[in-house]
């Protein structure tokens, strides 16, 4: 049984008085400890799928199951213990007036989990930051350090699933690689399952076991990492994404 099961998911919302079909009948399954990538151009619906899992986007059709169970409305504390999300922008995802200590302690307080000091220090160590960072504010950290704090926060409740929404796109190239390697290490050490969004096929190739290519809210093609590495896509759209990604790599 897959850990994440999405069956015929549709998401529709209203913008400027008109319905927008952001996701159209998408199905996918992610196995335990697997890293699964959603890739496509801006507006393809990939981030909306993550938001729908978290209850942040209006599901108009289909089902989402975690561990074989349909998700409740609202999601609630049990969901937070299973699933956490790391957002794209580390500048916006951390409260500017909260110390790192408060940011990391807050989930523990909400869920009544003790040993706060030890857990916060261990979380910082797990993402490669010294314990002294506890008492800094986000503006005192670099972009890569902020994203490491965001990852640490997501892991405070020891979830099984991380939803990763373009987690490195706001970072410099050298810091991107460090962050991706950190995520891969944490997945191996903790047995995590990843559902990851990116527009960059090179990032997806580095991180993911399988990939779903999306366009205009629909699933275009699913392929394993080996097919991506061999440029063995079957659809013209997936081939064009690969070509564009290769061109960007040559330019950089």
């Amino acid at each position: 049984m897959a850990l994440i099961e999405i069956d015929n998911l549709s998401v529709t919302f209203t913008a400027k008085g008109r319905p927008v079909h952001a996701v159209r009948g998408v199905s996918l399954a992610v196995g335990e400890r697997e890293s699964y990538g959603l890739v496509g151009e801006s507006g393809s619906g990939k981030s909306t799928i993550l938001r729908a899992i978290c209850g942040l986007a209006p599901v108009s059709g289909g089902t989402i199951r975690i561990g074989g169970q349909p998700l409740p409305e609202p999601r609630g504390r049990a969901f937070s213990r299973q699933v956490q999300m790391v957002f794209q922008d580390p500048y916006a995802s951390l409260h500017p007036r909260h110390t790192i200590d408060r940011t990391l302690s807050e989930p523990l307080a909400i869920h009544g989990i003790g040993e706060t000091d030890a857990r916060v220090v261990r979380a910082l160590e797990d993402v490669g930051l010294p314990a002294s960072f506890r008492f800094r504010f986000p503006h005192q950290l670099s972009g890569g350090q902020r994203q490491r704090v965001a990852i640490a926060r997501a892991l405070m409740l020891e979830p099984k699933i991380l939803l990763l929404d373009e987690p490195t796109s706001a970072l410099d190239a050298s810091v991107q690689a460090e962050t991706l390697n950190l995520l891969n290490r944490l997945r191996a050490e903790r047995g995590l399952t990843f559902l990851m969004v990116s527009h960059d096929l090179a990032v997806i190739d580095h991180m993911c076991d399988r990939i779903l290519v999306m366009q205009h809210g629909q699933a275009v093609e699913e392929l394993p990492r080996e097919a991506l590495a061999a440029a063995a896509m079957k659809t013209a759209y997936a081939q064009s994404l690969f070509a564009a990604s290769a061109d960007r790599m040559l330019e950089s």
Side-chain angles (χ1 to χ4, degrees), residues 31-47:
E32 188 171 2
R33 301 192 178 197
E34 185 178 17
S35 182
Y36 191 98
L38 301 174
V39 66
E41 295 173 308
S42 179
S44 62
K46 55 192 188 298
S47 293

Side-chain angles (χ1 to χ4, degrees), residues 85-101:
M85 189 162 170
V86 177
F87 294 91
Q88 175 179 1
D89 187 357
Y91 298 91
S93 63
L94 301 178
H95 196 297
R97 297 196 183 109
H98 288 180
T99 62
I100 304 309
D101 184 76

Side-chain angles (χ1 to χ4, degrees), residues 173-248:
S174 61
V175 181
Q176 283 187 20
E178 292 176 0
T179 306
L180 294 175
N181 290 335
L182 168 66
L183 287 166
N184 270 335
R185 174 175 65 78
L186 291 169
R187 180 166 76 100
E189 291 175 355
R190 297 183 176 228
L192 296 168
T193 300
F194 286 173
L195 180 55
M196 179 175 188
V197 161
S198 180
H199 67 280
D200 189 336
L201 281 174
V203 169
I204 290 291
D205 179 51
H206 182 70
M207 293 291 294
C208 298
D209 305 308
R210 288 187 297 138
I211 298 100
L212 183 68
V213 179
M214 293 186 62
Q215 182 185 28
H216 303 319
Q218 296 178 301
V220 173
E221 181 176 354
E222 185 182 69
L223 60 158
R225 172 188 282 164
E226 295 77 16
L228 178 62
M233 302 85 176
K234 297 178 181 178
T235 62
Y237 179 69
Q239 291 167 358
S240 70
L241 273 185
F242 181 87
S245 181
D247 289 343
R248 284 195 299 270

Side-chain angles (χ1 to χ4, degrees), residues 67 139 149:
H139 73 269
V149 171

Side-chain angles (χ1 to χ4, degrees), residues 89-104 106 124 129 132-150 153 171:
D89 187 357
Y91 298 91
S93 63
L94 301 178
H95 196 297
R97 297 196 183 109
H98 288 180
T99 62
I100 304 309
D101 184 76
R102 180 172 176 181
T103 294
L104 298 183
E106 202 164 45
L124 289 171
L129 295 175
S132 60
F133 274 45
R134 288 176 63 185
F135 305 107
R136 296 189 183 185
F137 290 89
H139 73 269
Q140 296 174 305
L141 276 59
S142 69
Q145 290 167 343
R146 293 185 203 194
Q147 195 62 303
R148 285 172 183 261
V149 171
R153 179 181 57 186
L171 306 176

